Amino acid sequence: MSRRALAVLAAGAAAHVVAAAAFAATVVVAPGHMDGWAVNNDTCGAATTGSVDFVSGPATPPAGTGSVQFTVGANGDSYPTVRQSDYNGVKLADLTSFEYWTYVSHSGSGAQAPYIDLYVDNNNDGTRDDILTFEPVYQTSQGAVAPNTWQRWDAEHGLWWSDSMGGPPPLFTLSSYVASHPDAKILNVGGGGVILAAGCGGAAWANFVGNADKLTIGVRGSDTTYDFEAASTTSGPPTSKDQCKNGGWRSFTNPSFKNQGQCIAFVNHHNGKGDDDQHGDKNHQGDKKDHGGGKHHGRKR
């Protein structure tokens, strides 16, 4: 019987809702609320010409209305990245889902697309021993990289290559790497250990422009999906509970909120339907207090 079913039997319908929430969550990532992500506009050679931007579109992204965009520029060794630090110490053996979507506006000359790097410690000494890379260009069973369209990539079951093995090739699955490196874990370096990136590959990456969105990482069955969005222009206040959900509470600045619950409480206090709206200034004074506050595809790294 699943853990979710056990939770239902043990604690009833209310506990079922809580258990379900623990298994899947969507986090909106945008300038001002990065939630463990950091931009690192690095280089594997000469001075970077790359950049990272949070933009609307392109076209219709798989989550929300925006995405993170990687521009490499004239120097194909530029290494524009966003790095997530919340998975430091997570064992590769505990990863149960790993997927994301890409969109390529200008592919350079080698059918590239934004890729994933994992910084890995294989022997628990706190030192990076390897860099594992998932590149869409090598996922022939998942289809070829196509321009100007959103494509989903399954990294959990796809093919990776290893910096320490001098790849690519060889190409291998994460499960096969874990079989030979059972203690392998993610290690934060330079802002994070889970990295979305482009470039770091010389002339083949020159002038590349591409986007990524809806990155899902599962650890022991608990999935987190990262929805990358442009900076919000919303100021506030919220007028419905739905505006507070799925990270929407972060977009309000007048007033600002500390979490989704505080945003929903504000709506409840000001919707003209409940007792909270009939108690006058005393409750609203309380409201003010509550709401104040690489080597890739021949790359050098």
Side-chain angles (χ1 to χ4, degrees), residues 38-87:
V39 172
N40 187 327
N41 193 19
D42 207 345
T43 182
C44 298
T48 183
T49 56
S51 63
V52 176
D53 298 286
F54 294 83
V55 301
S56 296
T60 304
T65 61
S67 62
V68 58
Q69 184 172 86
F70 304 94
T71 301
V72 172
N75 175 19
D77 279 337
S78 300
Y79 185 42
T81 71
V82 289
R83 308 186 180 201
Q84 170 57 251
S85 61
D86 290 348
Y87 296 88

Side-chain angles (χ1 to χ4, degrees), residues 7 30 49 78 80 91 104 110 119 144 158 184 190 209 216 218 222 225 247 268 281 284:
T49 56
S78 300
K91 297 185 70 172
V104 177
Y119 288 169
V209 180
T216 298
S222 183
T225 296
N268 288 339
D281 291 339
H284 290 296

Side-chain angles (χ1 to χ4, degrees), residues 3 22-24 86-98 156 186 194 216-224 226:
R3 285 180 288 173
F23 284 87
D86 290 348
Y87 296 88
N88 190 51
V90 171
K91 297 185 70 172
L92 299 191
D94 290 334
L95 295 175
T96 49
S97 60
F98 209 164
E156 175 68 18
I186 296 169
V194 177
T216 298
I217 303 174
V219 180
R220 287 177 287 183
S222 183
D223 289 355
T224 301
Y226 296 98

